[in-house]
Amino acid sequence: MQVKNLTQYTFSKNYKQLEDNYHAQRQKELETTFQAPEYWQILQRAEESKKNTGRILKLKSCNEEIPVSLKIESKKPGLINVLTTYSFYDGLNKAGYVKIEEYSNGAYIAFVKNEMPKVYGGIEKLALKIAVANCLKRNLKKFEITGDAIDNSHAIHYLAGMRFNKIDNQYRAENVKRLYGTDDVNKVIKSIIQNTPNKGRYYTSILGCVKMYMKKNVIKNIIEYLKQHPVLF
């Protein structure tokens, strides 16, 4: 083999090796990307956004609304009524869930949980939409959405659209009235919200366990919203 041909052969061989190494590296990068949770989150959001979905949460880092997917599990664990759990997912991340007990006259919100409160907002509002959609899916014409607020959850439920009955414990009611000048739970919660610093936590545990309900006009507004932005397909 002549020197010129040998040089060309060596160059071609080295170039092919570099090209093969580049393609192998790119393939590895693509495989890593496809395996990353962020890729599946973006893909899932894109798929959900096509449905004009009402399954919306908010990313607190950028105040951006994002669509989430839903996992539904129903069971009857020794109860008269069916208990259905709706779990919200942003890609592979479980953002939160709501447990709903299904009554013949409506839905009882048994539990709402934000799994990543520093990341996601809007769990409670989505939970209320799910509760209304649950009743509609069961072909209920007139229905109630009820629940119980405990610990420091009262203000969050209030802001999401729920309202409260009277405190059923006389000693606690008297204590609340002494501190706030009224034992009207809705007025007390409103005052706490207004006097809490921006982004501060709402401390309402003094109210104890209080029954809550969704006002009829709020139910009506959510029904109208769901006509354009369904949460249960």
Side-chain angles (χ1 to χ4, degrees), residues 27-218:
Q27 181 65 29
K28 185 176 180 181
E29 290 174 356
L30 287 172
E31 289 176 358
T32 301
T33 299
F34 291 152
Q35 292 172 1
E38 292 79 8
Y39 171 80
W40 293 106
Q41 287 175 351
I42 293 171
L43 185 64
Q44 185 67 57
R45 290 172 189 170
E47 289 300 315
E48 291 293 335
S49 64
K50 294 176 185 177
K51 301 174 184 176
N52 198 27
T53 178
R55 298 198 300 244
I56 298 296
L57 293 180
K58 184 172 287 187
L59 283 177
K60 290 186 174 181
S61 60
C62 57
N63 208 34
E64 175 189 355
E65 290 188 338
I66 59 166
V68 293
S69 59
L70 198 65
K71 180 181 179 181
I72 304 174
E73 298 175 286
S74 293
K75 58 183 178 179
K76 207 169 184 179
L79 301 174
I80 297 176
N81 304 303
V82 173
L83 185 67
T84 302
T85 301
Y86 300 87
S87 300
F88 316 132
Y89 284 87
D90 177 20
L92 300 178
N93 291 336
K94 185 176 181 180
Y97 63 91
V98 57
K99 290 180 181 288
I100 292 175
E101 190 173 348
E102 300 175 359
Y103 286 87
S104 59
N105 65 337
Y108 173 83
I109 300 174
F111 197 77
V112 181
K113 176 70 179 295
N114 187 337
E115 296 280 13
M116 305 174 72
K118 292 184 179 180
V119 179
Y120 301 105
I123 295 288
E124 293 77 13
K125 289 184 178 181
L126 179 53
L128 298 193
K129 294 175 191 173
I130 293 289
V132 173
N134 173 284
C135 294
L136 296 175
K137 199 170 183 66
R138 290 186 286 132
N139 296 315
L140 299 183
K141 304 303 179 184
K142 294 182 179 180
F143 53 84
E144 300 176 348
I145 307 296
T146 59
D148 288 283
I150 59 174
D151 299 328
N152 290 305
S153 68
H154 306 79
I156 302 300
H157 291 304
Y158 182 94
L159 290 170
M162 300 296 280
R163 292 299 179 264
F164 297 84
N165 296 332
K166 294 181 178 180
I167 299 173
D168 57 12
N169 181 291
Q170 185 178 351
Y171 172 78
R172 182 176 290 116
E174 291 174 353
N175 192 33
V176 169
K177 187 172 184 178
R178 185 170 62 255
L179 289 172
Y180 293 95
T182 179
D183 58 1
D184 184 314
V185 177
N186 295 294
K187 289 181 179 179
V188 171
I189 293 173
K190 187 176 180 180
S191 175
I192 291 174
I193 292 173
Q194 291 175 341
N195 290 284
T196 298
N198 187 33
K199 296 184 179 180
R201 186 178 182 185
Y202 301 118
Y203 290 99
T204 59
S205 59
I206 188 175
L207 298 170
C209 180
V210 187
K211 295 187 179 303
M212 60 184 182
Y213 63 93
M214 187 183 293
K215 294 172 66 176
K216 286 183 169 51
N217 68 310
V218 176

